[in-house]
C-alpha cells in the first residue's frame, strides 16, 4: 500500500469544522515521519516542492508547539492550507498514476505488486483504470495501442464491481471487427461472458440487443448468448425463459439470414438441451447456415435427446461469474506463466526408454494472454483450420 496515498488521504480528511490553525497543524502531522526516500524521484520532488511552499509560510513564525499555530495570520493560514491541500491532492494523483504505469510494464511478468496496490486503493484507482481503457479504446482505432494496463484494467474493474468500468468495457467491446481482440485478446472469448453475467444479469434486454446487433464482433455476440447459462446457473433466470429468449433470437436470425449468430445460438440452445427449439435448429442446418465445423446436427440432436444430462453438464462446467481474483485468474495464462515460457529441453533418455518413442512435450500454447490455444492459431486436432473455425467451442 502506498504510504503517501494513505497519509495524503488522512491529511485531506481533517475535520473542516476545526479552526484553520488546528486544521493546518493536523494536516502537517499526517505527514510526520513519511519516508521520502521510498518514493519515486519525480513524485518525491513534486511533493517536496509543495511542502516547501508551506514551510516558506511557516518560516515567518516561531513554531515550537501545536498552539503556536494560533499565531499565524489569516492570510498565511489560507496560503499554507492551500499549499498542503494541493500537495496532498497531487501526491495521490501522482501515486495512482505510478501504479497504472507499473501495471503497464512490458516485462512479460504479471505485475503482482501493482495489482495488490491497486486493490488497496480500489476506490481511488477505479477512475484511472476507466481512463486507461478509454484511452486504449481511442488508440486501438488509430493503430497505435501499446502496453498492458488496459488488459489488466479489464479484469480489475470486474474484481472491483465497478459499474462505471463495465460501461467502458462494454463500449470497447462494441467496437466493430477485430478491435475488441486488439484490446483484450483472448479475454474476449475466455472472460467477457463472465463479466456480462456479473453486470448485465438483471438486464436481459441488453444481452438480446447485443446478440441481434450485426455491427458487433461475432464472438462478442456469442458471449452475450453464452451469458444466459450463467444467469440460469446463478438462479437469476429460469431455464425456460433463457431458452425462450435464445429461441426467439434464432428465429429472428433465420428470418434475416444472420449467418454469424446462427451457429452460436444453435450451440447455446443445444447446450441447454432445448428440445423446444429442435425445429429451428433443424431448419438452421437444412438451410446451410450453420458452421458444421463448430457444431454438427448429429451432435446437436444427441445433446437435445439427452436433455437433462446435457443441461446438467452445461451448468457444471459453467465458469464462475465475474472475476474474484485477478492474480489467480491471470497466473495460468500463457503470457504470464513463467513455466510455460521456459524453452523446452530434451529430457534425459534412460536405457529403459522405448526406442523411437517421442518424448512428451509441454503444451505448445500461443502466448495470446490465455493458457489455451489462440483463436487464430492452427487447431490442435490437425484439421488444418484455424482454432476459431474448428474445435474452439
Amino acid at each position: 500500500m502506498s504510504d503517501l496515498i494513505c497519509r495524503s488521504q488522512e491529511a485531506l480528511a481533517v475535520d473542516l469544522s476545526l479552526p484553520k490553525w488546528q486544521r493546518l497543524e493536523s494536516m502537517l502531522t499526517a505527514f510526520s515521519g513519511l519516508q521520502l526516500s521510498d518514493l519515486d524521484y519525480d513524485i518525491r520532488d513534486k511533493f517536496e516542492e509543495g511542502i516547501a511552499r508551506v514551510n516558506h509560510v511557516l518560516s515567518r513564525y516561531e513554531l515550537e508547539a501545536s498552539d503556536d499555530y494560533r499565531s499565524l495570520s489569516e492570510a498565511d493560514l489560507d496560503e499554507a492550507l492551500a499549499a498542503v491541500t494541493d500537495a496532498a491532492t497531487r501526491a495521490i494523483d501522482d501515486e495512482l498514476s505510478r501504479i497504472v504505469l507499473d501495471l503497464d510494464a512490458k516485462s512479460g511478468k504479471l505485475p503482482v505488486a501493482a495489482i495488490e496496490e491497486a486493490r488497496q486503493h480500489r476506490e481511488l484507482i477505479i477512475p484511472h483504470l476507466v481512463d486507461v481503457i478509454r484511452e486504449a479504446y481511442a488508440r486501438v482505432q488509430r493503430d497505435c495501442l501499446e502496453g498492458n494496463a488496459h488488459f489488466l484494467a479489464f479484469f480489475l474493474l470486474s474484481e472491483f464491481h465497478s459499474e462505471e468500468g463495465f460501461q467502458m468495457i462494454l463500449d470497447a467491446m462494441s467496437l466493430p471487427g477485430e478491435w475488441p481482440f486488439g484490446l483484450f485478446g483472448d479475454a474476449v472469448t475466455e472472460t467477457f461472458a463472465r463479466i456480462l453475467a456479473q453486470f448485465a444479469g438483471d438486464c436481459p434486454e441488453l444481452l438480446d440487443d447485443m446478440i441481434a446487433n450485426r455491427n458487433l464482433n461475432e464472438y462478442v455476440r456469442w458471449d452475450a448468448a453464452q451469458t444466459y447459462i450463467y444467469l440460469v446457473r446463478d438462479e437469476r433466470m429460469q431455464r425456460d425463459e433463457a431458452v425462450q429468449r435464445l429461441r426467439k433470437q434464432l428465429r429472428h436470425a433465420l428470418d434475416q439470414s444472420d449467418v454469424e449468430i446462427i451457429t452460436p445460438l444453435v450451440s447455446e440452445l443445444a447446450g441447454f438441451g432445448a428440445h423446444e427449439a429442435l425445429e429451428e435448429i433443424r431448419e438452421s442446418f437444412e438451410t446451410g447456415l450453420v458452421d458444421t465445423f463448430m457444431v454438427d446436427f448429429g451432435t446437436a440432436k444427441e445433446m437435445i435427446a439427452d436433455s437433462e444430462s446435457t443441461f446438467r453438464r452445461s451448468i457444471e462446467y459453467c465458469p464462475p461469474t465475474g472475476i474474484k481474483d485477478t492474480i489467480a485468474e491471470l497466473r495460468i495464462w500463457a503470457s504470464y506463466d513463467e513455466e510455460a515460457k521456459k524453452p523446452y529441453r530434451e529430457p534425459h533418455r534412460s536405457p529403459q526408454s522405448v526406442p523411437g518413442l517421442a518424448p512428451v512435450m509441454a503444451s505448445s500454447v500461443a502466448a495470446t494472454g490465455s493458457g489455451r490455444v489462440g483463436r487464430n492459431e492452427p487447431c490442435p486436432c490437425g484439421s488444418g483450420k484455424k482454432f476459431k473455425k474448428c474445435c474452439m467451442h
Side-chain angles (χ1 to χ4, degrees):
M1 180 178 289
S2 168
D3 191 29
L4 182 56
I5 289 179
C6 293
R7 288 171 178 266
S8 296
Q9 284 184 289
E10 182 183 345
L12 295 174
V14 167
D15 188 352
L16 296 179
S17 66
L18 294 174
K20 290 181 180 179
W21 69 267
Q22 197 169 355
R23 280 160 47 196
L24 178 60
E25 189 273 336
S26 296
M27 291 180 78
L28 292 175
T29 299
F31 293 110
S32 178
L34 176 67
Q35 296 296 316
L36 296 178
S37 60
D38 294 338
L39 302 176
D40 284 359
Y41 292 122
D42 290 344
I43 295 174
R44 183 185 65 194
D45 290 347
K46 288 180 182 179
F47 182 72
E48 287 182 330
E49 179 184 331
I51 295 301
R53 291 171 53 203
V54 182
N55 290 333
H56 176 71
V57 174
L58 299 183
S59 65
R60 306 166 190 163
Y61 300 87
E62 294 289 336
L63 302 174
E64 297 181 358
S66 296
D67 282 354
D68 292 342
Y69 282 85
R70 292 175 181 268
S71 64
L72 270 71
S73 70
E74 189 76 7
D76 285 343
L77 281 171
D78 287 342
E79 184 179 349
L81 282 169
V84 72
T85 298
D86 181 62
T89 302
R90 287 176 57 187
I92 291 174
D93 192 62
D94 288 345
E95 274 288 83
L96 293 172
S97 296
R98 190 264 308 164
I99 294 171
V100 170
L101 283 175
D102 289 347
L103 290 173
D104 210 31
K106 302 174 185 178
S107 65
K109 296 181 180 180
L110 187 65
V112 173
I115 292 172
E116 289 176 341
E117 277 198 284
R119 285 172 172 167
Q120 291 157 353
H121 304 292
R122 64 176 61 196
E123 294 305 321
L124 290 172
I125 206 166
I126 281 174
H128 288 254
L129 296 177
V130 173
D131 285 342
V132 163
I133 295 182
R134 182 178 291 111
E135 181 178 349
Y137 170 92
R139 291 177 68 89
V140 75
Q141 297 177 76
R142 300 195 302 267
D143 197 27
C144 58
L145 183 64
E146 295 180 349
N148 300 308
H150 60 280
F151 177 78
L152 292 163
F154 174 88
F155 287 84
L156 286 168
L157 289 168
S158 172
E159 180 182 327
F160 297 166
H161 301 275
S162 169
E163 290 286 348
E164 180 187 4
F166 171 66
Q167 289 302 319
M168 192 63 245
I169 290 170
L170 193 60
D171 287 347
M173 286 293 187
S174 298
L175 287 169
E178 293 295 301
W179 277 332
F181 284 95
L183 285 167
F184 304 119
D186 282 355
V188 175
T189 52
E190 298 285 341
T191 312
F192 186 45
R194 296 168 58 184
I195 293 178
L196 279 174
Q198 176 185 1
F199 290 101
D202 297 325
C203 188
E205 293 78 15
L206 171 62
L207 300 177
D208 289 341
D209 288 345
M210 292 177 67
I211 293 169
N213 188 348
R214 293 190 178 199
N215 293 322
L216 300 184
N217 178 279
E218 61 184 298
Y219 289 99
V220 172
R221 299 173 73 189
W222 194 328
D223 285 328
Q226 194 178 63
T227 302
Y228 279 107
I229 194 67
Y230 290 84
L231 303 187
V232 175
R233 190 273 311 276
D234 296 342
E235 299 183 349
R236 298 167 73 183
M237 181 179 288
Q238 294 296 313
R239 174 199 174 278
D240 289 351
E241 181 183 351
V243 169
Q244 179 184 8
R245 286 180 174 274
L246 290 170
R247 185 182 178 188
K248 181 179 179 181
Q249 290 285 348
L250 179 56
R251 181 69 266 162
H252 178 75
L254 285 168
D255 293 342
Q256 299 297 317
S257 297
D258 188 355
V259 178
E260 281 194 346
I261 197 58
I262 287 176
T263 298
L265 289 168
V266 167
S267 178
E268 295 306 314
L269 284 164
F272 271 97
H275 54 84
E276 309 97 313
L278 183 57
E279 289 309 309
E280 286 88 353
I281 291 173
R282 186 190 306 277
E283 181 182 345
S284 301
F285 283 97
E286 289 177 348
T287 52
L289 298 177
V290 180
D291 185 344
T292 54
F293 284 100
M294 293 283 196
V295 57
D296 62 84
F297 188 46
T299 300
K301 282 198 301 182
E302 289 176 6
M303 293 172 71
I304 290 171
D306 195 10
S307 178
E308 289 187 10
S309 296
T310 296
F311 178 60
R312 186 170 60 251
R313 284 194 300 271
S314 295
I315 293 295
E316 180 181 350
Y317 291 114
C318 184
T321 294
I323 303 299
K324 302 296 189 295
D325 183 337
T326 296
I327 295 173
E329 286 281 341
L330 292 178
R331 277 194 192 280
I332 62 172
W333 284 51
S335 56
Y336 295 119
D337 186 344
E338 293 303 308
E339 290 299 318
K341 291 179 181 179
K342 291 181 179 179
Y344 172 71
R345 299 178 64 183
E346 181 79 17
H348 174 71
R349 188 181 298 280
S350 69
Q352 291 76 30
S353 296
V354 179
L357 183 62
V360 177
M361 297 183 66
S363 175
S364 57
V365 179
T368 57
S370 168
R372 303 184 184 183
V373 180
R375 60 192 287 274
N376 289 311
E377 297 299 313
C379 186
C381 77
S383 67
K385 292 183 174 291
K386 291 184 179 181
F387 184 47
K388 69 180 181 179
K389 290 296 186 180
C390 193
C391 299
M392 181 174 174
H393 295 282

